[in-house]
Amino acid sequence: MEPILEIKNLRKEFKDFSLKDINLTLEKGFIMGFIGPNGAGKSTTIKLILNLMNKDGGEIKIFGKDNIVYEREVKNRIGFVLDESHYYEEITVQEMKSIIAPFYERWDEGAFKKYVKDFGLSMDKKIKELSKGMKMKFSLAIALSHNAELLIMDEPTSGLDPVVRSELLDILSDLMQDENKGVFFSTHITSDLDKIADYITFINNGEIILSTTKDDIMENFGLVKGPKELIRSNNSNGFIGIRENQYGFEALVQNKEEFRKLYGDKIVVEKPTLEDIMVYYTRRGINA
Amino acid sequence: MLNLLIKDILVQKKTFIGALFYLVFFVVAFQSLEMNMFTAAIVAFVYLLVIGGFAYDDKSKSDIMLNSLPIKRENIVMSKYISLFVYIAIGTIAYIAVSFVISLLNTPIKTYPVTIELIVSAVLAVSLLNSISFPLIFKLGYVKAKVFNMIFFLTFLFGVPLLIDFVSKADSEVTTAVGTFLLNQSDVAIASELLALSLVFLLISYGISVRLYKKREF
């Protein structure tokens, strides 16, 4: 079976930043969280997937098809929610919908009406009168109303309150009942993904640091806490990132069982959150 | 594609009202142009709406949204070129209506009928002006292209009369030859030639715009 999204050796050069050989694969039926600090290359990657930017090398396949050669076909099967609203502010929700809908071959008016009702969107309001959360919901209603199989979201939760964010996560969980769909979800609010993501891809400074299942991360990664002497004797080997304070240290490790065997009860091993992973990996350059 | 045209009209409801007032202003203020006021009025009317459409696209960064939809970039470009003719048509109808209302008011303001020649000259002027300004807007976006377009629009506005003046005074063999060539033809032939010329301009410009817009990054 073809992966729903496959990126191979994707490159994009800018003057002061570059995406370096990005590789990732998302299978049908899963949600992939795409995490990384601001400026890590998340939006650039998404723009390349949507062909809003020209790549300098590599390959992007969606539903097994090249995203540029089969651009229209592929885009018919993608729903997108971007970090800010790019709709015309001056017109009403109804007008905006009627401009967009005919572009999709498989537009489902019934589904759209249902979402509008569920989300409490008012069709007569101008786009500029909608709150940030409502704009996101409108984007989402459009994205879900043309039988899209892949949902691409660029920081959909940024700037939203926890209530709306949690609503969005519920909708995504519902959506994933259909095992033919996939979601690619970029965010720097990693707690969103603790709940729903199956895969985590972590990008930092234009490079993929990690792309694996969330379970793998939760089972194997550990947040090790112990006295400072340990780091000196250990020479920091195997530590992904270390934070020291006057009492001891905290470090992220990729194979917590090894550390457990090695140090026994001198250390405490905790489960890291995705935020810990992101923070410690980003600190690596500073502390290693 | 029709949607894209409708979109430009929907987002510009207010601009249309403004453009209508502009037409009235033109008819009243440019009495000295006599019947040629039509061409000038249409060029300005179309310019206002075309630029307005681009400005709204830029303001809401909707190129990003449109290009994420299953639309060919060629169609986005094509719709802007076609909109020129839609605006010429709307402008012409509005101009006729405005002239009619003014003529009913019994004021000293003179109105002139719209002839085929005038429409042809308006099409030529609109095509020429926008053929040059469009590729730049498609490459840079409205805001960045704005300064260039302003300079260009003013050059066009003042340059064309100067050019005509220059050509009419110059007594070279070429101008005489062109003059004789035109004199020997029927009005219909001249009109079709000018329309063909407009079309050539638009097609070349469209080709360039598509190439530039396809390379553009958002």
Side-chain angles (χ1 to χ4, degrees), chain A residues 12 47 50-54 72 75-76 80 82 84 86-88 90-91 95-96 99-100 102-104, chain B residues 3-4 7 10-11 13 56-57 59-62 64-73 215 217-218:
Chain A
K12 173 76 186 166
K47 282 182 174 177
L50 290 171
N51 194 23
L52 294 169
M53 280 187 172
N54 309 314
R72 280 227 284 175
K75 283 186 176 171
N76 257 305
F80 62 92
L82 302 175
E84 34 180 325
H86 295 286
Y87 299 119
Y88 295 91
E90 314 293 324
I91 60 177
E95 287 168 333
M96 194 68 239
I99 288 168
I100 293 175
F103 288 116
Y104 285 112
Chain B
N3 295 11
L4 293 172
K7 177 266 293 176
L10 277 180
V11 297
K13 284 173 220 152
Y56 276 112
D57 289 343
K59 188 181 156 202
S60 42
K61 292 191 204 150
S62 51
I64 294 182
M65 185 265 298
L66 292 176
N67 283 298
S68 303
L69 294 170
I71 309 178
K72 282 189 184 162
R73 290 204 186 182
K215 279 192 204 145
E217 303 198 313
F218 302 99

Side-chain angles (χ1 to χ4, degrees), chain B residues 139-159:
Chain B
K139 181 174 170 58
L140 300 173
Y142 163 73
V143 171
K144 285 185 193 160
K146 198 172 168 184
V147 180
F148 295 104
N149 271 317
M150 218 43 183
I151 295 169
F152 172 67
F153 183 67
L154 292 174
T155 317
F156 190 83
L157 212 62
F158 296 107

Side-chain angles (χ1 to χ4, degrees), chain A residues 99-136:
Chain A
I99 288 168
I100 293 175
F103 288 116
Y104 285 112
E105 281 163 19
R106 295 184 292 166
W107 179 260
D108 182 346
E109 187 66 24
F112 182 74
K113 288 207 171 111
K114 181 186 156 288
Y115 284 115
V116 164
K117 207 172 150 221
D118 290 354
F119 295 167
L121 274 167
S122 39
M123 298 296 285
D124 316 324
K125 271 200 177 167
K126 286 190 176 172
I127 305 279
K128 65 177 169 193
E129 293 162 357
L130 301 181
S131 67
K132 192 151 197 251
M134 276 299 175
K135 281 181 187 165
M136 190 279 290

Side-chain angles (χ1 to χ4, degrees), chain B residues 28-94:
Chain B
V28 176
F30 287 82
Q31 286 282 306
S32 62
L33 289 176
E34 297 183 353
M35 59 195 283
N36 285 322
M37 75 167 67
F38 171 77
T39 311
I42 292 297
V43 168
F45 182 85
V46 174
Y47 185 77
L48 215 63
L49 288 166
V50 160
I51 289 298
F54 278 118
Y56 276 112
D57 289 343
D58 222 70
K59 188 181 156 202
S60 42
K61 292 191 204 150
S62 51
D63 283 303
I64 294 182
M65 185 265 298
L66 292 176
N67 283 298
S68 303
L69 294 170
I71 309 178
K72 282 189 184 162
R73 290 204 186 182
E74 287 93 327
N75 288 354
I76 296 178
V77 174
M78 182 56 101
S79 79
K80 292 288 184 190
Y81 281 86
I82 292 179
S83 74
L84 291 175
F85 291 93
V86 175
Y87 299 149
I88 290 175
I90 296 174
T92 305
I93 294 166

Side-chain angles (χ1 to χ4, degrees), chain A residues 26-51:
Chain A
L26 172 63
E27 302 288 344
K28 273 182 194 169
F30 297 103
I31 297 182
M32 179 181 279
F34 190 40
I35 62 174
N38 289 330
K42 299 188 296 293
S43 291
T44 304
T45 307
I46 287 182
K47 282 182 174 177
L48 288 165
I49 296 174
L50 290 171
N51 194 23

Side-chain angles (χ1 to χ4, degrees), chain A residues 146-169:
Chain A
H146 58 271
N147 294 300
E149 292 146 74
L150 172 62
L151 209 55
I152 295 182
M153 303 199 281
D154 189 10
E155 306 264 359
T157 50
S158 76
L160 297 184
D161 65 56
V163 179
V164 180
R165 269 168 47 205
S166 127
E167 277 175 37
L168 170 71
L169 301 183

